[in-house]
């Protein structure tokens, strides 16, 4: 009986489910038609149906189920505390309901934290006990892994790296602060900056007035040589360098991984990011690759490797973890 766990990603517009073997092999991956927007009961019904189908197909070796969700998790009660993208899920006992239906342990986790754990298990931070991940998507998510475990903080709210301040007087953020990293390094921010710069480039102006305006099309315009579009990604790098520099100074971790859709613009934002990192973090400057730091310990800042599957892998890892935690230690 081969051990496997189920990872679920509720973070996007669709529900995704994967069965992962104990050694990290992907056994099955399903993208379910259910739109998360159709509501809690429809999503839970289809999720449980799909997982039951995988149990039938793969046998009785299911260790546990990890579910990555956008929002803040009440770790003590296994409920969503606050999730603007999942109306109706707050204070609903998701984990006990699914455990009851499927007879396997279920653990809920913030999706960015799950992605950090996935990259630690099987991606860019494989082999590292400590890391920090920043996910550049519609917003900017973060996760911190210490000693191989997600660092939750006092009540599950740690790792909100998208809301560290990089510019005290910057644009207002949904969180209430001004000048958060998310206001410069998310896909939403790239699109906002594109609209702000239409006076500087006819091509950007033409793009910004169409539905084709995305972080990706702004990137393509920058790659084609548009100066104003290029400057947007320099701004992304500037903000990331400031934000990550503060984390390096505070935590002195060996590995910082940048993932999410906007991370595919790495070639355009990385030079400005590393310039800021060096200028603003003396800890980074003293430990950057190439420095003699003692015992070969350096600070690495690199791209994620698992793409949009990081959260699925991390959630599955949590499924194994919970099963292990439930078993008495020998
Ligand atoms: Zn914010």
């Amino acid at each position: 009986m081969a051990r496997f766990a189920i990872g679920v990603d509720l973070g996007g517009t669709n529900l995704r489910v994967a069965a992962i073997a104990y050694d990290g092999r992907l056994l099955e991956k399903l993208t379910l038609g259910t739109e998360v927007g159709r509501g809690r009961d429809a999503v839970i019904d289809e999720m449980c149906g799909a997982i039951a189908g995988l149990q039938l197909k793969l046998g009785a070796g299911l260790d546990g189920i990890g579910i990555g969700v956008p929002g803040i998790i009440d770790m003590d009660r296994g409920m969503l505390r606050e999730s603007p993208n999942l109306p109706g899920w707050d204070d609903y006992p998701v984990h006990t309901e699914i455990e009851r239906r499927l007879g396997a342990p279920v653990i809920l986790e913030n999706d960015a934290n799950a992605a950090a754990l996935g990259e630690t298990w099987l991606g860019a931070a494989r082999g590292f006990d400590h890391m920090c991940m920043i996910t550049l998507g519609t917003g900017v998510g973060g996760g911190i892994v210490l000693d191989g475990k997600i660092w939750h903080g006092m009540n599950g709210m740690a790792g909100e790296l998208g809301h560290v301040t990089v510019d005290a007087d910057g644009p207002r953020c949904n969180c209430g602060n001004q000048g958060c990293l998310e206001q410069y390094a998310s896909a939403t921010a790239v699109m906002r900056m594109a609209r702000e710069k239409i006076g500087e480039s006819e091509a950007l102006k033409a793009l910004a007035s169409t539905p084709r305006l995305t972080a990706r099309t702004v990137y393509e315009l920058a790659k084609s040589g548009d100066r104003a579009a290029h400057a947007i990604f320099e701004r992304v790098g500037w903000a990331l360098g400031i934000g990550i520099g503060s984390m390096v100074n505070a935590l002195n971790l060996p590995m910082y991984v940048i993932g999410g859709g906007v991370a595919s613009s790495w070639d355009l934002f990385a030079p400005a990011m590393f310039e800021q990192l060096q200028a603003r973090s003396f800890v980074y400057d003293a430990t950057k690759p190439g420095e003699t730091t003692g015992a070969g310990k350096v600070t690495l800042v690199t791209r994620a490797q698992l793409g949009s599957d990081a959260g699925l892998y991390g959630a599955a890892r949590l499924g194994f973890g919970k099963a292990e935690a439930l078993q008495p230690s020998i």
Side-chain angles (χ1 to χ4, degrees), residues 16-307:
R16 298 191 309 143
V17 178
I20 317 278
Y22 194 64
D23 62 6
R25 264 177 314 121
L26 177 67
L27 302 173
E28 292 272 349
K29 185 163 74 172
L30 307 170
T31 299
L32 303 180
T34 311
E35 287 169 25
V36 172
R38 273 187 53 211
R40 183 189 76 201
D41 294 341
V43 171
I44 290 179
D45 282 348
E46 194 164 356
M47 184 196 307
C48 288
I51 295 170
L54 288 171
Q55 279 178 296
L56 270 179
K57 186 171 178 183
L58 298 169
L62 177 61
D63 266 26
I65 300 159
I67 304 176
V69 292
I72 295 167
I73 315 289
D74 181 331
M75 298 306 295
D76 295 331
R77 296 187 304 153
M79 291 185 188
L80 265 71
R81 183 202 300 256
E82 211 181 296
S83 189
N85 299 329
L86 295 175
W89 291 70
D90 306 25
D91 293 320
Y92 177 79
V94 187
H95 111 274
T96 46
E97 174 63 20
I98 299 172
E99 280 182 350
R100 188 184 64 75
R101 291 205 204 180
L102 295 171
V106 172
I107 190 157
L108 286 186
E109 184 53 84
N110 169 272
D111 55 357
N113 286 348
L117 192 64
E119 287 288 340
T120 307
W121 185 28
L122 298 165
R126 193 195 303 222
F128 286 83
D129 292 331
H130 319 293
M131 65 89 80
C132 169
M133 179 160 178
I134 300 145
T135 304
L136 313 179
T138 308
V140 173
I144 298 169
V145 172
L146 299 176
D147 288 323
K149 294 193 176 71
I150 294 165
W151 174 254
H152 287 113
M154 179 174 64
N155 39 23
M157 297 174 78
E160 287 295 341
L161 308 175
H163 301 284
V164 297
T165 304
V166 296
D167 180 359
D169 301 315
R172 182 69 63 187
C173 183
N174 290 334
C175 74
N177 185 23
Q178 278 179 272
C180 291
L181 177 57
E182 179 166 296
Q183 293 305 315
Y184 297 95
S186 61
T188 314
V190 169
M191 290 160 68
R192 188 202 73 236
M193 291 188 279
R195 285 188 216 99
E196 286 169 358
K197 281 180 168 290
I198 53 174
E200 297 174 33
S201 155
E202 284 302 318
L204 202 52
K205 186 177 179 182
L207 177 64
S209 62
T210 70
R212 285 182 53 246
L213 176 67
T214 63
R216 185 74 206 170
T217 52
V218 177
Y219 170 79
E220 284 160 5
L221 188 59
K223 288 293 280 183
S224 75
D226 189 275
R227 265 308 305 161
H230 199 280
I232 291 170
F233 290 95
E234 286 165 8
R235 194 75 165 152
V236 171
W238 167 86
L240 279 169
I242 295 172
I244 296 172
S246 297
M247 295 167 212
V248 173
N249 282 355
L251 299 169
N252 189 210
L253 302 179
M255 176 58 96
Y256 300 78
V257 176
I258 302 177
V262 178
S264 60
S265 316
W266 175 275
D267 60 327
L268 295 190
F269 70 68
M273 177 179 76
F274 284 112
E275 189 182 310
Q276 290 299 321
L277 260 171
Q278 261 180 84
R280 294 180 186 266
S281 167
F282 78 95
V283 179
Y284 180 79
D285 194 49
T287 60
K288 63 181 185 282
E291 291 294 315
T292 308
T293 58
K297 292 180 179 172
V298 294
T299 303
L300 297 173
V301 181
T302 190
R303 285 182 68 170
Q305 289 178 357
L306 300 177

